Amino acid sequence: MTLPTFTARTYMFILSILFLSCKSNSSDTESQSNKIHTDKIDSLLVESYDKDQFNGNVLVVRNDTVLYQKSFGYLSEKRKVGLDDNSIFNIGSIAKQFNGVAILMLQERGLLNINDPLSKFELDLPDWSNKISIKHLLHYTSGLTRLDPLTPSNDKEAWEILRKSDSLLFEPQTRFLYDNANVFLQRRIIEKVSGLSYEDFIIENVVKPLNMEYSVHDPGMTHPNRTSCYGSDKTPCPELEFISGWLWVTTNDFYKWVKALNENTLISQESYNEILGNPYFKNENTYPYTYKATSPLGEYFEESEVQRHNGISYKFESILLNDLKNNMTIIVLSNYRGKVWSLGHSIHNILLDKPYKSIYEAIREMSIQNVDLGIKTYKELKEKHQDVYQFDNPGELNKLGYELLRMDKKEEAIKMFVLATSEFPDNANLFDSLAEGYFSNEQYDSSLQYYKKSLELNPENTNAQKMIEKINSITKK
């Protein structure tokens, strides 16, 4: 039998068919995966909105493509005008990213050095300005006196507080203290060096170049597309009276900013790294269960390569999850204080094909009514639905335990803390909570036992040390 003879053109044709077939199959698989993820995200958010737990805008981007974008709810407590993609939100502390990056922009232009002392900029500050550098401001290790969110109500009052402060709370670089005094002085340095107001510098060097067309600083109540925050009682938040310079954004505008930082459009990777982490604060926590903003860009987890920043102002609440490893960005902006933080992480877990539903939410109501039923349901869900519910977060049971404690359901709280410690037997914080539950119920022997257990697991637990002394003092009387 004679085999057929193939020409080069025939081979190329066959190869092209195979390539297109593989590409089509790959595309179909990706499309199917995207559909599964978006359906789960939408179901999660619809359920949260229907339960009156969320009101806001969501944007999810994967591989530089919008995977999901949707608005839920209203601009204000009047519930007459619905949110849309152009609605602007107060993003709270997340807006501190802009002054942090602006400082590094000025350093790259040779106009300052982050190791410069504050005294160099002639801001009429006390002698401690010789000790504090810009870098200390960026990483919250300055030791400056605090600017409480309730005071001052404007920049003039902030200046008065700082200029009348003769001493520092601690020597620079010896401690970490997250406070707005550092942010205020960063913005004043930007003004001194650039010759522009802080707001004008950000508009000219960030907002316009990135075409963040709806973003605006400190908008008044009548500003178009401005959201107003409110809570479940539909009571509006008071108008913000604090230091100036807070940029309000849409989800689309904020993504332009995140993308620009990821691609080093505004500052170099070296500068980006300078404020992505904090050399003075070692984060030994595991993503995603703790939150502590340590730099202008929030918090960075090296192992998972995730940047996270959470912002709160009155009942505005927002979260950014910037997953650099998987090229995913999740932005949730809300004008209704609810479960924004957990929603952001649930969306991230969906994209990573991990369990994503909150076990706290699943058993909360029944646990308040009947804690034994709540615990039974917890165990049943863990046995049958580990692929859906998050059982690896110790904070979920701990939060529920404290909620019961605040309701003066002491016995119920103790049962929940007992469940938590049995599920996470190496968690010092949970044993501290269990000890507190027993203490509140005047069961001092059990309280002492578990404070000692907490201290054994974490020798640096100063609260346990103090409580052990207090209990010993009580029982000796």
Side-chain angles (χ1 to χ4, degrees):
M1 182 175 66
T2 304
L3 294 175
T5 302
F6 294 108
T7 64
R9 180 176 294 179
T10 304
Y11 275 119
M12 291 301 296
F13 176 74
I14 293 172
L15 288 173
S16 65
I17 293 298
L18 291 172
F19 173 76
L20 290 173
S21 176
C22 291
K23 186 175 181 181
S24 176
N25 290 336
S26 174
S27 177
D28 289 345
T29 301
E30 182 179 356
S31 177
Q32 184 178 8
S33 175
N34 287 344
K35 178 69 164 56
I36 292 171
H37 289 158
T38 54
D39 285 349
K40 285 184 177 180
I41 292 170
D42 193 61
S43 176
L44 173 75
L45 292 167
V46 168
E47 181 181 354
S48 297
Y49 176 71
D50 288 344
K51 288 182 176 180
D52 205 24
Q53 296 172 337
F54 177 65
N55 189 96
N57 285 359
V58 180
L59 175 63
V60 181
V61 179
R62 179 161 61 189
N63 298 326
D64 302 320
T65 300
V66 174
L67 184 69
Y68 183 89
Q69 183 169 25
K70 197 168 180 178
S71 300
F72 294 85
Y74 300 90
L75 277 172
S76 72
E77 81 287 348
K78 295 177 182 178
R79 299 172 79 86
K80 293 181 179 179
V81 180
L83 295 168
D84 59 31
D85 292 348
N86 300 330
S87 300
I88 57 172
F89 293 79
N90 179 342
I91 54 175
S93 290
I94 299 179
K96 297 170 186 177
Q97 292 189 14
F98 299 106
N99 41 268
V101 170
I103 291 284
L104 272 298
M105 292 173 75
L106 291 170
Q107 176 171 264
E108 290 188 355
R109 296 173 188 178
L111 298 175
L112 59 76
N113 187 294
I114 60 171
N115 293 308
D116 289 336
L118 303 191
S119 55
K120 179 177 179 179
F121 303 100
E122 300 179 353
L123 298 174
D124 193 26
L125 293 168
D127 289 344
W128 45 252
S129 61
N130 294 307
K131 298 181 179 181
I132 299 174
S133 70
I134 299 174
K135 189 170 186 177
H136 295 144
L137 298 181
L138 291 170
H139 296 298
Y140 303 106
T141 61
S142 64
L144 286 169
T145 190
R146 307 197 70 163
L147 290 183
D148 187 277
L150 299 179
T151 55
S153 59
N154 54 53
D155 291 351
K156 181 181 178 182
E157 291 180 11
W159 273 125
E160 289 176 357
I161 291 171
L162 291 171
R163 285 172 173 158
K164 289 180 179 178
S165 176
D166 295 328
S167 60
L168 298 174
L169 298 177
F170 52 85
E171 286 298 303
Q173 201 174 316
T174 61
R175 282 179 53 195
F176 171 90
L177 181 63
Y178 185 78
D179 188 75
N180 286 302
N182 300 276
V183 177
F184 178 78
L185 289 182
Q186 286 176 46
R187 294 175 180 172
R188 305 294 77 80
I189 289 170
I190 291 165
E191 292 177 332
K192 192 77 173 183
V193 171
S194 70
L196 299 172
S197 70
Y198 169 70
E199 291 82 356
D200 284 346
F201 182 87
I202 297 300
I203 295 297
E204 294 301 320
N205 292 274
V206 174
V207 172
K208 287 183 178 178
L210 298 182
N211 193 29
M212 297 169 65
E213 54 185 320
Y214 293 98
S215 300
V216 62
H217 287 95
D218 306 316
M221 293 291 288
T222 59
H223 189 90
N225 305 313
R226 181 197 191 275
T227 56
S228 296
C229 66
Y230 61 100
S232 56
D233 58 358
K234 307 301 181 288
T235 301
C237 300
E239 184 69 6
L240 180 67
E241 293 184 358
F242 193 43
I243 59 175
S244 65
W246 303 96
L247 190 68
W248 293 45
V249 299
T250 65
T251 50
N252 287 325
D253 278 358
F254 191 52
Y255 176 66
K256 292 174 184 177
W257 163 259
V258 175
K259 183 176 172 64
L261 292 184
N262 288 347
E263 297 177 352
N264 306 127
T265 301
L266 296 174
I267 56 175
S268 68
Q269 187 63 43
E270 182 181 0
S271 293
Y272 181 64
N273 292 341
E274 180 68 48
I275 53 174
L276 183 60
N278 188 337
Y280 306 123
F281 184 92
K282 182 167 178 58
N283 180 14
E284 297 177 347
N285 299 317
T286 303
Y287 173 84
Y289 300 128
T290 56
Y291 179 76
K292 194 176 189 73
T294 61
S295 75
L297 297 182
E299 189 174 14
Y300 182 64
F301 296 85
E302 290 187 27
E303 185 175 343
S304 53
E305 296 181 37
V306 172
Q307 172 209 359
R308 174 177 66 191
H309 209 167
N310 179 271
I312 295 173
S313 178
Y314 291 121
K315 292 181 181 178
F316 285 102
E317 186 173 9
S318 306
I319 190 169
L320 162 69
L321 291 173
N322 186 24
D323 185 335
L324 300 168
K325 180 188 290 185
N326 297 295
N327 198 9
M328 301 172 181
T329 302
I330 298 161
I331 298 169
V332 185
L333 309 182
S334 173
N335 59 330
Y336 183 91
R337 188 81 174 270
K339 49 182 294 187
V340 169
W341 194 86
S342 61
L343 279 175
H345 288 286
S346 292
I347 293 169
H348 193 208
N349 282 342
I350 288 173
L351 298 178
L352 297 175
D353 295 313
K354 293 181 177 181
Y356 63 95
K357 284 196 173 182
S358 165
I359 192 62
Y360 163 83
E361 296 290 346
I363 68 170
R364 177 185 177 275
E365 289 187 13
M366 68 181 71
S367 295
I368 290 172
Q369 298 300 320
N370 184 333
V371 72
D372 294 323
L373 179 59
I375 292 172
K376 180 183 177 182
T377 303
Y378 173 92
K379 292 177 179 178
E380 289 174 350
L381 290 173
K382 187 173 183 181
E383 182 181 354
K384 299 176 182 178
H385 299 291
Q386 286 202 45
D387 59 328
V388 176
Y389 291 92
Q390 301 175 63
F391 291 96
D392 59 347
N393 182 357
E396 297 260 276
L397 295 177
N398 199 42
K399 178 168 65 171
L400 184 50
Y402 273 109
E403 195 166 349
L404 291 167
L405 202 58
R406 286 193 296 272
M407 294 177 179
D408 204 33
K409 295 176 177 284
K410 297 174 184 177
E411 295 286 350
E412 291 87 345
I414 289 170
K415 287 183 178 182
M416 191 58 62
F417 290 137
V418 167
L419 172 65
T421 54
S422 66
E423 292 289 279
F424 303 93
D426 297 323
N427 190 297
N429 185 55
L430 292 179
F431 280 100
D432 189 280
S433 300
L434 176 57
E436 183 177 343
Y438 279 121
F439 183 85
S440 69
N441 208 35
E442 298 183 356
Q443 293 175 257
Y444 298 125
D445 289 344
S446 295
S447 180
L448 184 63
Q449 174 187 347
Y450 291 111
Y451 274 126
K452 287 181 177 179
K453 177 65 176 178
S454 177
L455 193 59
E456 176 188 326
L457 291 169
N458 177 17
E460 297 182 2
N461 185 350
T462 55
N463 179 67
Q465 293 171 353
K466 292 176 182 177
M467 290 305 297
I468 289 170
E469 293 175 4
K470 185 173 183 178
I471 293 170
N472 286 332
S473 176
I474 291 172
T475 55
K476 286 177 182 178
K477 290 181 180 180

